[in-house]
Structures are given as C-alpha cells and as structure tokens.
Amino acid sequence: MTRFFYILCAVATTAAFSPHSQAAADDRDVVEYREHIMNTLNEQAAALGEILSGAIPADSAATHFEAVALTASTALKAFAPKVVGGEAKPNVWSDWQDFERRMKEFEKRTAEAASTAKAQGKDASLADLVDAFTCKGCHDVYRDKKRGK
Amino acid sequence: MTRFFYILCAVATTAAFSPHSQAAADDRDVVEYREHIMNTLNEQAAALGEILSGAIPADSAATHFEAVALTASTALKAFAPKVVGGEAKPNVWSDWQDFERRMKEFEKRTAEAASTAKAQGKDASLADLVDAFTCKGCHDVYRDKKRGK
C-alpha cells in the first residue's frame, strides 16, 4: 500500500523493489515509517528556518509549529518496535529509558511552542520558540547518518 | 537561518552553498520553502500508506491526517510568489486560477478527512479517507520531476 501511495502521489522517492520474506518486509516497513516521521520534522524545521531568516513571511509559522508538535507526538511510538535499521543507532533500544525521556521532552516542548505561537500570533518570538527543537542533542547520541546509507 | 536549522537538526539534506546575489538567494529560499511543504505532504502520505498496508498499527492515523491537513493549508501561499524553479512547471503561474482552485480543493478535502478520522477514531475507514489525496491529478499537470534535478 505504501507503493500505492508512491504511485498516487508521484513522490520523488522510489524504493528499491526486490523479493524478500514477509519478516524482512515488516522490518523495512517499520524503519521506513519512522523515517517518514523524522523526515517530516526535518522538512517542517527547515520551513521554519526559512521564515526565521526573513526570506519567507511568517504567516504560516504557527501552523508549521503545530505540524511539528503533531508529528513529534507520533515519533516515540514509531521507535517502539525494536528494529535496528536506518540511521538509528542500536542504543535507541539498549538505552530506551533515556531515549524515551528525551522524546517525551521533545514532544512536550514542541507542543508548548505550538500553543504559544498560536496564542501570540504575529507577536510570537519565533527565535525563542525554536528552542523547543532539541534535535541535535538527541541526534548526537542516537543517530548515525552513515548507517542509513 | 535555514542553515542554522540544518546544523541544529543535523538534517540529511545539505544544500549546495555557492556565492550568489541577494535576489538569487531570495528566489532559492522561495523554491526551497515550498519544497519543504510538498515534501512534508509526501512523507505524511507515505506514513499513512504504511498504516493502510497493515504493516504499522493505526494508532497515529488521525494525527497523520491532521498533519497533512495543516500542511495543505500552507501550500497555496507558498506558491504565491511567482518564482519558477524546482519541480513546479511554469503553468502553475500562467494557469494560476486553476492551480488555486485545485489547491483549495485539496486543502478542503484533507481538512474534512482529518476531521472524520479524529471523530471516528478506530472506526474510521482510512481507505475511504485517502480519497482526499488528489496529488496525482495536480502533479500530472503542474509538476515535472525532471525540472528539479
């Protein structure tokens, strides 16, 4: 069905299609799913970056924060199945308690930022609100971009 | 500031960095911004695809629909500046009235789907709701993936 979407939405990404066992297919789905979530966070953070730079008007800033918060709320669950793969390092699961704590903190802070952005509208200080993006601290510990190649 | 985010979030994408005029920088920002929005739609549609395939539990389905609807609500404005570039074909702007109508329809239908998904919860028929994803009809007319290379 993922492929249905790929065709339906004519997306840029084309997954390699090779025969595999059902188990392998399931694992690949788990990895792809969490990658779609992390990529969404990446794209929305970058959109906010364009706004913060002043290149793009801030009209949609609160909506971007809300999209980030919503997506953050789906992230921890996406990592719950212990399937090593993609850019996630194995310590995501061996240090699960710490990973979970950081993810919940990220979820909480982005939700607060979205709420503030919505309430304050054009008066919101976007530069302060992006403090909720604690990506790097977590990526330094739990992500290895080379693993995803 | 986009680069600030790229560093902050240690994203996979690395933009080519070459000297350019301020005008060129602005145009590039406009193109990149709308690409971040369309890529978000792509990632969230693919996440829903994983759920529809049965590979991933549907726990976050309504949240994904909501993220799609929010992002769709930012899309038309992102195309408003007439900056030809990326995968967008020039007829986005020469046929603006049609493009605008389709984008508003997409925004409306994804908002309705998100609302239904939230209201019906686990009883929602995701297969029916994805009818809101009218991506292909629009991409066939207004997108040329080769242009983005």
Side-chain angles (χ1 to χ4, degrees):
Chain A
M1 188 59 88
T2 299
R3 262 169 212 94
F4 163 72
F5 259 103
Y6 279 136
I7 294 162
L8 183 72
C9 285
V11 300
T13 315
T14 49
F17 192 32
S18 57
H20 46 67
S21 69
Q22 186 56 43
D26 289 349
D27 282 359
R28 193 183 57 179
D29 282 331
V30 167
V31 173
E32 282 182 0
Y33 177 69
R34 68 189 185 221
E35 287 181 344
H36 293 313
I37 290 171
M38 302 312 281
N39 290 343
T40 299
L41 292 172
N42 181 24
E43 297 291 345
Q44 288 295 300
L48 278 165
E50 306 275 352
I51 291 171
L52 271 165
S53 76
I56 303 292
D59 310 46
S60 299
T63 311
H64 291 309
F65 273 110
E66 204 174 342
V68 167
L70 275 174
T71 308
S73 78
T74 67
L76 183 62
K77 195 164 278 178
F79 281 92
K82 188 183 172 181
V83 178
V84 179
E87 297 177 359
K89 288 161 74 174
N91 59 344
V92 165
W93 296 277
S94 58
D95 298 337
W96 181 258
Q97 213 167 8
D98 177 67
F99 182 80
E100 184 179 41
R101 182 187 59 75
R102 288 170 185 253
M103 272 295 204
K104 285 187 173 172
E105 178 71 14
F106 176 60
E107 187 178 334
K108 179 172 168 281
R109 292 185 66 178
T110 52
E112 286 167 356
S115 176
T116 304
K118 194 171 182 178
Q120 297 184 347
K122 289 197 183 298
D123 297 328
S125 165
L126 302 182
D128 288 344
L129 294 178
V130 295
D131 282 348
F133 288 80
T134 53
C135 322
K136 189 174 182 304
C138 211
H139 285 169
D140 284 349
V141 181
Y142 292 111
R143 181 196 202 189
D144 182 355
K145 284 164 66 175
K146 289 193 293 293
R147 296 181 71 94
K149 304 292 174 201
Chain B
M1 189 58 91
T2 299
R3 263 169 211 97
F4 164 73
F5 259 101
Y6 279 138
I7 294 162
L8 183 73
C9 285
V11 301
T13 317
T14 49
F17 192 31
S18 56
H20 46 67
S21 69
Q22 186 55 44
D26 290 350
D27 282 359
R28 193 183 55 181
D29 283 330
V30 167
V31 173
E32 283 182 0
Y33 178 69
R34 68 190 185 218
E35 286 181 345
H36 293 313
I37 290 171
M38 302 312 281
N39 289 344
T40 298
L41 293 172
N42 181 24
E43 296 291 345
Q44 289 295 301
L48 277 165
E50 305 275 353
I51 291 171
L52 271 165
S53 76
I56 303 292
D59 311 46
S60 299
T63 311
H64 292 309
F65 273 110
E66 205 174 341
V68 166
L70 275 175
T71 307
S73 77
T74 67
L76 183 61
K77 195 165 280 179
F79 281 90
K82 188 183 173 181
V83 178
V84 179
E87 297 177 359
K89 288 160 73 174
N91 60 343
V92 165
W93 296 277
S94 58
D95 298 337
W96 182 258
Q97 212 167 8
D98 177 67
F99 182 80
E100 184 180 38
R101 181 187 59 74
R102 288 169 184 253
M103 271 295 204
K104 285 187 173 172
E105 178 70 15
F106 176 60
E107 187 178 333
K108 180 171 168 280
R109 292 185 67 179
T110 53
E112 286 167 356
S115 176
T116 304
K118 195 171 182 178
Q120 297 184 347
K122 290 197 181 301
D123 296 328
S125 166
L126 302 182
D128 288 344
L129 294 178
V130 295
D131 281 348
F133 289 80
T134 54
C135 322
K136 189 175 182 304
C138 211
H139 285 169
D140 284 350
V141 181
Y142 293 110
R143 181 195 201 188
D144 182 355
K145 283 164 66 175
K146 289 193 292 293
R147 296 180 71 93
K149 304 293 176 201

